Amino acid sequence: MALNRVRGMEFNWSLNPYMGCAHRCTFCYVRAFEERADRPGDARYGDVVRVKTNVVEVLRQELARPSWPRESVAVGAATDPYQPAEGRYRLTRGCIGAFAEHRTPFDLITRGTMILRDLDVLVEAARRARIAIHFSVPTLDPEVWRRTEPGTANPRQRLRVLTRLVEAGIAAGVAMAPILPGISDRPEQLAAVVRAARDAGATHLWSGWLHMKGATRAYFLEHLAREWPAELERYQRLYGSRAYLGAAEGRALREQIAALKRRYPLRGRAGLIAPPAEPVQLMLSI
Ligand code: SF4
């Protein structure tokens, strides 16, 4: 099975060509999923990346079924689809091609600049269905980036790639997540990301605080104790035994980001490739 049915999220379907992620972000929420599947979510996370070598073939079969509802698929919700293994296996590229063939909309989230290699298939997919790319850029603070994301490309490089995608007509925006209390949430740090997203031509931007469950919590707090020991008390106070920050903190962040978006307005969708307006089922013979 390539497509996973998802319940209780903003999307109904997900696809992950890989399991595990060599980017090894210290805050990665997938560490908790790995632990639940009896795989290591600690410092060993990312040592092994499982490759679904037949995912493209299986996806094509699933998308060809008359019962496939052509709902949007979230690509990369549980692993980065443009982590280093993609250079060799080209599975994400193959899946995008399959979505294009079957006029299936999708949202793809990544920290990987390798996505630029697949500009041709992304353009084709955008001509056939609604697609959106979300570049994770939680911060542009070089110190925070280096200390929390040991395996990713510089976030400014991600924004340069975002610009190339938007120039080609693809909707591409910024996911400011996870924002780390006391570490990457200073007003000037938040403003720097929104301003840079605006300058890069981002079509959209959303944000979210750090979530800490299970192995993610254990690993991140251990990392915090080593790298930012003075912040430990803040996290204990803010999170207690909860995985999420409270509603008040969520509202405060949304308001801050909304104000920044008013100050640095994003470009929106003008000039992008417009997906077909007609119901996709009617266009299958093209
Ligand atoms: S890139 Fe995403 S999936 Fe990979 S380690 Fe970082 S947060 Fe986790």
Side-chain angles (χ1 to χ4, degrees), residues 16-21 48-56 79 83-92:
N16 293 289
Y18 304 94
M19 292 170 74
C21 185
V48 175
V49 173
R50 290 164 301 285
V51 180
K52 300 180 185 173
T53 50
N54 65 345
V55 70
V56 180
T79 180
Q83 59 175 300
E86 172 63 13
R88 172 171 172 196
Y89 292 98
R90 301 165 76 87
L91 298 177
T92 301

Side-chain angles (χ1 to χ4, degrees), residues 7-10 27 29-30 32-33 36 177-179 181 207-214 216-217 234-251 253-254:
R7 300 194 191 279
M9 304 282 283
E10 287 162 14
F27 45 66
Y29 60 92
V30 182
F33 302 162
R36 282 212 301 270
I179 293 174
S207 62
W209 289 113
L210 171 72
H211 298 162
M212 295 195 296
K213 266 190 189 160
T216 302
R217 181 188 182 90
R234 182 199 303 269
Y235 280 71
Q236 274 147 8
R237 177 169 42 81
L238 281 174
Y239 285 88
S241 56
R242 294 176 308 176
Y244 300 90
L245 284 186
E249 285 87 0
R251 201 165 42 246
L253 179 63
R254 278 195 301 279

Side-chain angles (χ1 to χ4, degrees), residues 20-31 45 76-80 83 110-111 136 149 152:
C21 185
H23 287 161
R24 303 163 191 264
C25 304
T26 58
F27 45 66
C28 180
Y29 60 92
V30 182
R31 292 175 186 276
Y45 173 65
T79 180
D80 199 316
Q83 59 175 300
T110 187
R111 288 177 160 80
S136 296
E149 299 184 24
T152 61

